[in-house]
């Protein structure tokens, strides 16, 4: 609570400093010369109504002067057309209910008045032909035309976008110590509005303040953020100033990571400028842009859009030459994109396979390597052509080498599993596939162990391979996995054992293990959640020729389970039940 209180004390100070800096940098004079009874006196303009009157007085004067100018007719014609639009914009602005309550209106009128005064001064210079060269005057007139465009645009934005209503607070609330949160929200709304209006330097200052406020209390900013604010930020990503682009992408990155406005960011067009920053931004800009794409690429629609906007190639380049954080973010983004089946071929055409295989060896962070393995898992999931490419680029060797670490993870094992059916048994053996399987079954994560068991199911298509897997020491490890908490792990492990037991020497290996029968009997549980029961029946049927194993099955309750499984028509259950019941009768008679 104390920390929250400190944050709320700091934010008004930050916003106060920001407002102060804006007012100090205001280029407009607030005193003007007027005539009073034939004498020039200084009149102080303070209220928004005063500024409105001043601007309205300047418009006809500026128009009259502009229309008398003989030189530069094309440029003055354009300026006159813009001056003629100002009265209607001022009228619309002054009729807004919040006109007199909002500092944005006053500042906008100051900017309009300054442009009108400049128009009058330039018209006088053109008339008197006392300007410093034709090219200089052309440049000044073009600059004035741009300022008038900005004034007209900003007046329209203030009226049409609802900025005035959003940023206006009653003075009683704004100054109330009992409602500081409402005042802070109002100040942040005004700060966000300033990203949409005014010249670039003013937007830069607002951006600086926004970065600082978000450091202190990001949640408060997110609470008042609107779609138009997001759009204004995205426009600043294409500003000519590298510093503005860098600060803007820092804010965009925070918004993307917050998870609260991804749809707005994408729909307002954030992807193309982010991709350009990944291509040619500063070090910080590239990093923040890549992290933003990483977050946004989590949805398949946005992943497709990144491909469509040409984002794959710059992301691949970051994987090659980027720093540690950027490289990891780019690898994760590409991993997210590779989860979309229809773009995988596009990724391959851009050279993703070689880069991801290289990352398994040379990734700066462990995360980069893991993302690379996940990407290869996705790429090889269902496309035979991509599997062939991965194999030809040495993918299996690199994956097996990566799995040699202390805690093998699921993605790399799953990628190997996807590839084993596409290579010969001799090649797998020569690459050290079997020792790797044993290592994963012993030391891997639960997901990795499941993927290893699944790989055994896929690779054991021949008696020779089943023999080699058994001799490698996989069977006791698979039996241990029958005790796993995860049903899917138990299922695939039982399936692998069932496949291996079709070879007599593997069947003997299963018999030797004291835990095999108890674990398999537990997997006869008829509940729908237990999906391993059909494989457990098959394994126990292979063991039922052994009197010792049959006795163990009966003692652990197999008959009760098998009766229910027989009613459910589980393959082999009825036959195994009959065999156990016969054995039970013989046992009773022999006692008599």
């Amino acid at each position: 609570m104390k920390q929250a209180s400190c944050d709320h004390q700091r934010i008004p100070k930050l916003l106060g400093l920001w407002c102060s800096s804006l007012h100090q940098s205001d280029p407009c004079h607030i005193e003007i010369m007027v005539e009073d009874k034939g004498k020039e006196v200084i009149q102080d303009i303070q209220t928004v109504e005063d500024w409105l009157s001043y601007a309205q007085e300047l418009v006809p004067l500026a128009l009259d002067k502009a229309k008398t100018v003989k030189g530069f007719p094309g440029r003055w014609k354009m300026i006159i057309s813009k001056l003629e639009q100002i009265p209607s914009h001022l009228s619309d602005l002054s009729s807004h209910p919040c006109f007199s309550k909002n500092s944005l209106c006053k500042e906008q009128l100051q900017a309009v008045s300054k442009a009108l005064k400049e128009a009058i001064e330039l018209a006088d210079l053109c008339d008197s032909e006392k300007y410093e060269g034709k090219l200089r005057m052309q440049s000044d007139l073009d600059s004035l035309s741009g300022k008038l465009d900005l004034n007209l645009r900003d007046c329209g934005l203030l009226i049409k976008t609802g900025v005035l209503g959003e940023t206006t607070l009653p003075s009683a609330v704004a100054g109330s110590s009992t409602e500081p949160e409402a005042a802070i929200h109002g100040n942040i709304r005004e700060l966000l509005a300033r990203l949409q209006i005014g010249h670039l330097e003013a937007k830069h200052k607002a951006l600086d303040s926004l970065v600082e406020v978000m450091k202190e209390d990001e949640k408060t900013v997110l609470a008042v953020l609107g779609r138009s604010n997001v759009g204004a930020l995205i426009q600043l990503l294409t500003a000519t100033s590298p510093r503005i682009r860098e600060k803007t992408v820092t804010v965009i990155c925070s918004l993307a990571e917050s998870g609260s406005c991804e749809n707005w960011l994408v729909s307002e067009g954030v992807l193309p400028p982010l991709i350009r920053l990944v291509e040619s931004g500063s070090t910080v800009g590239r990093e923040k842009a890549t992290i933003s794409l990483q977050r946004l690429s989590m949805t398949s629609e946005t992943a497709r859009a990144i491909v469509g906007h040409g984002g794959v190639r710059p992301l691949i380049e970051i994987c090659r030459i980027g720093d540690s954080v950027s490289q990891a973010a780019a690898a994760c983004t590409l991993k997210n994109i590779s989860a979309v089946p229809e773009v995988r071929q596009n990724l391959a055409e851009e050279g993703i396979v070689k880069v991801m295989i290289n990352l398994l060896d040379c990734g700066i962070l462990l995360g980069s390597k893991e993302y690379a393995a996940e990407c290869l898992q996705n790429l090889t999931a269902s496309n035979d052509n991509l599997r062939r490419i991965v194999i030809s680029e040495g993918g299996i060797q690199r994956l097996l080498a990566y799995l040699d670490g202390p805690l093998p993870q699921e993605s790399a094992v799953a990628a190997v599993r996807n590839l084993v059916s596409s290579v010969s048994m001799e090649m797998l053996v020569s690459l050290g596939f079997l020792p790797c399987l044993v290592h994963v079954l012993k030391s891997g994560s639960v997901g990795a162990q499941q993927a290893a068991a699944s790989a055994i199911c896929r690779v054991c298509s021949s008696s020779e391979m089943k023999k080699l897997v058994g001799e490698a020491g996989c069977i006791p490890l698979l039996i241990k996995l029958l005790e796993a908490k995860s049903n899917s792990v138990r299922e695939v492990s039982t399936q692998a054992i069932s496949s291996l037991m079709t070879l007599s020497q593997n069947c003997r290996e299963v018999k030797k293990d004291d835990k095999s029968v108890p674990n398999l009997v537990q997997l006869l549980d008829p509940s729908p959640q237990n999906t391993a029961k059909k494989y457990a029946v098959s394994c126990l049927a292979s063991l039922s020729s052994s009197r010792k194993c049959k006795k163990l099955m009966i003692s652990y309750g197999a008959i009760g389970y098998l009766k229910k499984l027989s009613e459910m028509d589980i393959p082999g259950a009825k036959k195994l039940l009959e065999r156990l019941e016969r054995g039970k009768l013989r046992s009773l008679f022999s006692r008599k």
Side-chain angles (χ1 to χ4, degrees), residues 96 111 120 122 278 289 320 339 474 485 516 526 564 589:
H96 195 285
I120 293 167
L122 290 175
V278 172
R320 285 195 184 106
C474 291
K485 291 181 180 179
S516 61
K564 293 177 181 177
F589 285 125

Side-chain angles (χ1 to χ4, degrees), residues 380-409:
T380 56
S382 58
N383 189 313
D384 286 334
N385 180 48
L386 291 179
R387 287 175 186 151
R388 283 192 291 272
I389 294 172
V390 172
I391 292 166
S392 67
E393 293 286 354
I396 293 183
Q397 294 94 312
R398 296 287 183 88
L399 285 163
L400 292 174
Y402 171 61
L403 286 170
D404 199 32
L407 184 63
Q409 295 299 307

